Amino acid sequence: PGSSAATTDGAGYALDNVFDETSTTKDVYAKTTKGIIDSVVGGFNGTVFAYGQTSSGKTHTMQGCEGEPGIIPLAVKDVFEAIEASEGREFLVRVSYLEIYNEQMMDLLSKE
Protein backbone atom coordinates (compact mmCIF):
# COMPACT_ATOMS: atom_id res chain seq x y z
CA PRO A 1 0.00 0.00 0.00
CA GLY A 2 1.46 3.28 -1.09
CA SER A 3 0.74 6.86 -0.16
CA SER A 4 -0.60 9.68 -2.23
CA ALA A 5 0.39 13.31 -2.56
CA ALA A 6 -0.71 16.34 -4.53
CA THR A 7 1.11 19.08 -6.36
CA THR A 8 0.41 22.76 -5.78
CA ASP A 9 -1.98 22.76 -8.74
CA GLY A 10 -3.98 19.90 -7.21
CA ALA A 11 -2.75 17.14 -9.51
CA GLY A 12 -2.32 13.91 -7.59
CA TYR A 13 0.26 11.16 -7.82
CA ALA A 14 0.93 7.92 -5.98
CA LEU A 15 4.05 7.07 -4.02
CA ASP A 16 5.23 3.49 -3.62
CA ASN A 17 6.93 4.20 -0.29
CA VAL A 18 7.50 7.10 2.07
CA PHE A 19 10.43 7.06 4.50
CA ASP A 20 11.06 9.41 7.39
CA GLU A 21 14.14 10.20 9.46
CA THR A 22 13.65 7.07 11.60
CA SER A 23 13.99 4.76 8.57
CA THR A 24 17.23 2.85 8.20
CA THR A 25 18.98 1.97 4.98
CA LYS A 26 17.95 -1.64 5.62
CA ASP A 27 14.31 -0.48 5.76
CA VAL A 28 14.71 1.31 2.43
CA TYR A 29 16.48 -1.72 0.91
CA ALA A 30 13.78 -4.13 2.08
CA LYS A 31 10.97 -2.00 0.61
CA THR A 32 12.63 -0.87 -2.63
CA THR A 33 15.42 -3.18 -3.71
CA LYS A 34 15.13 -6.67 -2.20
CA GLY A 35 12.42 -7.67 -4.69
CA ILE A 36 14.58 -6.46 -7.58
CA ILE A 37 17.48 -8.58 -6.33
CA ASP A 38 15.22 -11.63 -6.04
CA SER A 39 14.18 -11.11 -9.67
CA VAL A 40 17.79 -10.62 -10.79
CA VAL A 41 18.79 -13.95 -9.26
CA GLY A 42 15.83 -15.43 -11.14
CA GLY A 43 17.29 -14.25 -14.46
CA PHE A 44 15.80 -10.80 -14.98
CA ASN A 45 17.66 -7.52 -15.42
CA GLY A 46 17.31 -5.07 -12.55
CA THR A 47 17.96 -1.38 -11.99
CA VAL A 48 18.12 0.64 -8.80
CA PHE A 49 17.98 4.38 -9.41
CA ALA A 50 18.54 7.11 -6.81
CA TYR A 51 17.22 10.53 -7.75
CA GLY A 52 17.14 13.74 -5.78
CA GLN A 53 18.56 17.16 -5.23
CA THR A 54 22.20 17.75 -4.32
CA SER A 55 23.05 16.85 -0.71
CA SER A 56 19.80 14.94 -0.18
CA GLY A 57 21.55 11.71 0.87
CA LYS A 58 21.61 9.66 -2.33
CA THR A 59 25.28 8.66 -2.03
CA HIS A 60 24.95 7.80 1.65
CA THR A 61 21.84 5.72 0.97
CA MET A 62 23.47 3.87 -1.91
CA GLN A 63 26.96 3.36 -0.42
CA GLY A 64 26.30 3.47 3.31
CA CYS A 65 28.97 3.84 5.93
CA GLU A 66 30.73 1.74 8.52
CA GLY A 67 28.06 0.17 10.69
CA GLU A 68 25.21 0.86 8.25
CA PRO A 69 25.72 -0.69 4.81
CA GLY A 70 24.01 1.02 1.92
CA ILE A 71 21.79 -0.33 -0.84
CA ILE A 72 24.76 -1.42 -2.99
CA PRO A 73 26.57 -3.54 -0.36
CA LEU A 74 23.27 -5.04 0.81
CA ALA A 75 22.36 -5.94 -2.78
CA VAL A 76 25.78 -7.43 -3.54
CA LYS A 77 25.61 -9.52 -0.36
CA ASP A 78 22.15 -10.85 -1.25
CA VAL A 79 23.11 -11.61 -4.86
CA PHE A 80 26.15 -13.65 -3.91
CA GLU A 81 24.40 -15.41 -1.02
CA ALA A 82 21.63 -16.47 -3.42
CA ILE A 83 24.17 -17.66 -5.98
CA GLU A 84 26.01 -19.65 -3.33
CA ALA A 85 22.75 -21.26 -2.19
CA SER A 86 21.80 -22.25 -5.76
CA GLU A 87 22.83 -25.73 -6.81
CA GLY A 88 23.14 -26.84 -10.40
CA ARG A 89 22.98 -23.34 -11.87
CA GLU A 90 25.65 -21.19 -13.41
CA PHE A 91 25.51 -17.41 -13.08
CA LEU A 92 27.06 -14.56 -15.04
CA VAL A 93 27.02 -11.33 -13.02
CA ARG A 94 27.41 -7.99 -14.79
CA VAL A 95 27.24 -4.73 -12.91
CA SER A 96 27.35 -1.08 -13.88
CA TYR A 97 27.57 1.82 -11.48
CA LEU A 98 26.74 5.12 -13.15
CA GLU A 99 26.37 8.70 -12.06
CA ILE A 100 24.46 11.27 -14.06
CA TYR A 101 25.31 14.82 -13.03
CA ASN A 102 24.71 18.00 -15.03
CA GLU A 103 23.62 15.86 -17.98
CA GLN A 104 26.99 14.04 -17.97
CA MET A 105 27.13 10.29 -17.41
CA MET A 106 30.15 8.87 -15.60
CA ASP A 107 30.99 5.17 -15.20
CA LEU A 108 32.05 4.96 -11.57
CA LEU A 109 33.65 1.53 -12.07
CA SER A 110 35.85 2.65 -14.95
CA LYS A 111 39.58 3.10 -14.34
CA GLU A 112 39.58 6.06 -16.75
Side-chain angles (χ1 to χ4, degrees):
S3 297
S4 62
T7 61
T8 55
D9 65 2
Y13 55 95
L15 306 170
D16 292 331
N17 300 284
V18 176
F19 302 99
D20 64 15
E21 66 279 358
T22 65
S23 300
T24 67
T25 305
K26 286 183 180 180
D27 296 334
V28 175
Y29 176 78
K31 289 278 193 173
T32 64
T33 307
K34 178 69 170 117
I36 295 170
I37 298 306
D38 294 342
S39 295
V40 164
V41 174
F44 293 91
N45 291 325
T47 300
V48 178
F49 188 84
Y51 177 81
Q53 68 186 42
T54 300
S55 297
S56 63
K58 298 175 301 295
T59 300
H60 173 77
T61 300
M62 295 304 287
Q63 295 179 352
C65 62
E66 192 173 329
E68 186 177 11
I71 302 295
I72 294 168
L74 291 169
V76 168
K77 176 181 149 298
D78 280 354
V79 165
F80 285 100
E81 283 179 356
I83 289 171
E84 195 171 295
S86 298
E87 294 184 26
R89 289 184 65 192
E90 188 173 312
F91 289 84
L92 172 63
V93 178
R94 294 183 188 190
V95 176
S96 57
Y97 184 26
L98 306 173
E99 176 181 69
I100 303 170
Y101 184 74
N102 285 337
E103 299 182 26
Q104 298 285 324
M105 185 165 46
M106 292 169 278
D107 181 348
L108 299 177
L109 298 177
S110 173
K111 293 179 182 178
E112 299 173 12

